[in-house]
Amino acid sequence: MHDSGLSQLDRGLSYGDGFFTTMLVENGIIQLWSYHQQRLLTAQQQLGFPVLQLDKIKAKLEQTLQDKALAVAKITVTRGLGGRGYSLPEHVSPSVFTSISEFPSHYLDWRQQGIRLGIAKLRLASGNITAHLKTLNRLEQVLLKQEADTQQVDDLVCCDIFDHVVEGVASNLFWVKDNCIYTSDLKGAGVAGTQRAFLLDTVSQSPYQLKTGQFAIEQLYQADELFVSNALLQFAPVKQFAEYSYSQFPVCRWFQEVVKHAS
């Protein structure tokens, strides 16, 4: 395993053969590290990568985070150098890249004031065996982000080819009806986010019920509340969805308070 500049022969560049996780840093500490660690471990195992020394990667990254009050850290892993063609090299030596960047300041406004949510025309492919992993193949999300910008909204409700609600462009999506939280089970498409995993682990301590499954977008029109999550945004309410407006976000606010005390 080596940490280096990107070679033209790196399989991450040639084939998107790799995975990553993006993490929130507060006061020099990576938030919800155990969830990011599990994400990396799951991808490593399911993609057949050699064992990664995740504790050492984290320790090296943390050396540069000590003076960061609020920042973004990212770990990217590729399968390393390989020859031409899809076949794996005889000896795989993963490349590990770490980076630190500024926290998107508008996310603080989104957490408090909410986001505008549109509906994507582009449909997510369903049945991809790596869909739930955070792999380096993100072209669907690139195109969806372009569509969100064209619609002049902050995010989009993305459905699969069967018109089941899946997620946002770069977030997981939740909606509430009669104190029950609904979200996609992600069986056909969609990324299993770290913040989503935190919610699934925490909801049993909340006053709310949870139901996962495959849902039609019409159910969102009846929702009392909608909110989204990702590692940097944590939880943010939806203030406008299509022609519907919302001003009260009790469920989202509950999870916002809980995640403040998690690490």
Side-chain angles (χ1 to χ4, degrees):
M1 183 171 62
H2 55 280
D3 192 340
S4 63
L6 184 65
S7 165
Q8 294 182 11
L9 299 178
D10 194 288
R11 293 179 62 86
L13 179 62
S14 299
Y15 309 115
D17 190 357
F19 52 93
F20 70 99
T21 195
T22 306
M23 302 162 287
L24 175 64
V25 177
E26 292 184 345
N27 299 317
I29 299 174
I30 297 173
Q31 301 300 295
L32 299 184
W33 165 249
S34 62
Y35 289 92
H36 291 283
Q37 184 179 36
Q38 184 58 54
R39 160 181 275 174
L40 294 169
L41 180 61
T42 298
Q44 169 221 302
Q45 293 174 340
Q46 295 192 14
L47 297 177
F49 274 56
V51 174
L52 301 170
Q53 298 175 323
L54 297 178
D55 289 338
K56 290 185 177 181
I57 295 170
K58 175 177 179 278
K60 184 176 180 179
L61 181 58
E62 284 182 332
Q63 291 176 4
T64 61
L65 295 174
Q66 296 177 7
D67 62 342
K68 302 295 184 182
L70 192 60
V72 177
K74 185 176 182 180
I75 298 173
T76 303
V77 183
T78 79
R79 210 180 296 264
L81 303 183
R84 189 174 183 279
Y86 295 135
S87 297
L88 300 184
E90 184 177 354
H91 301 289
V92 174
S93 181
S95 295
V96 178
F97 304 89
T98 59
S99 64
I100 302 171
S101 57
E102 292 186 3
F103 180 82
S105 58
H106 65 279
Y107 272 20
L108 298 177
D109 293 331
W110 283 5
R111 287 179 190 171
Q112 295 306 312
Q113 299 175 13
I115 68 168
R116 298 163 301 156
L117 192 61
I119 301 172
K121 296 179 181 178
L122 180 68
R123 291 294 186 260
L124 295 170
S126 186
N128 188 327
I129 59 174
T130 63
H132 61 291
L133 303 176
K134 205 67 177 285
T135 71
L136 300 182
N137 297 281
R138 314 310 303 162
L139 277 177
E140 280 186 325
Q141 285 67 38
V142 170
L143 296 175
L144 284 162
K145 180 56 179 172
Q146 291 178 343
E147 185 178 340
D149 292 342
T150 299
Q151 292 191 30
Q152 297 183 326
V153 295
D154 302 314
D155 205 347
L156 296 171
V157 175
C158 302
C159 297
D160 62 18
I161 58 175
F162 304 106
D163 288 333
H164 297 137
V165 174
V166 178
E167 59 187 357
V169 177
S171 63
N172 288 120
L173 174 66
F174 307 87
W175 61 99
V176 183
K177 183 65 178 178
D178 298 330
N179 285 328
C180 183
I181 303 170
Y182 295 83
T183 193
S184 169
D185 56 21
L186 306 181
K187 287 185 177 180
V191 173
T194 55
Q195 206 72 28
R196 176 182 182 273
F198 174 80
L199 182 147
L200 295 182
D201 287 345
T202 308
V203 71
S204 62
Q205 305 168 29
S206 78
Y208 309 106
Q209 301 297 312
L210 174 71
K211 185 174 182 180
T212 63
Q214 296 179 332
F215 305 103
I217 197 167
E218 286 75 17
Q219 290 194 237
L220 274 65
Y221 301 141
Q222 307 300 320
D224 302 321
E225 175 184 352
L226 296 90
F227 61 100
V228 297
S229 73
N230 68 32
L232 304 183
L233 188 57
Q234 295 181 318
F235 297 100
V238 173
K239 64 181 179 181
Q240 184 175 347
F241 166 58
E243 68 271 26
Y244 301 94
S245 297
Y246 307 85
S247 59
Q248 301 296 321
F249 321 109
V251 180
C252 182
R253 297 301 187 213
W254 192 92
F255 285 102
Q256 284 179 333
E257 285 300 313
V258 171
V259 79
K260 283 182 182 179
H261 306 289
S263 62

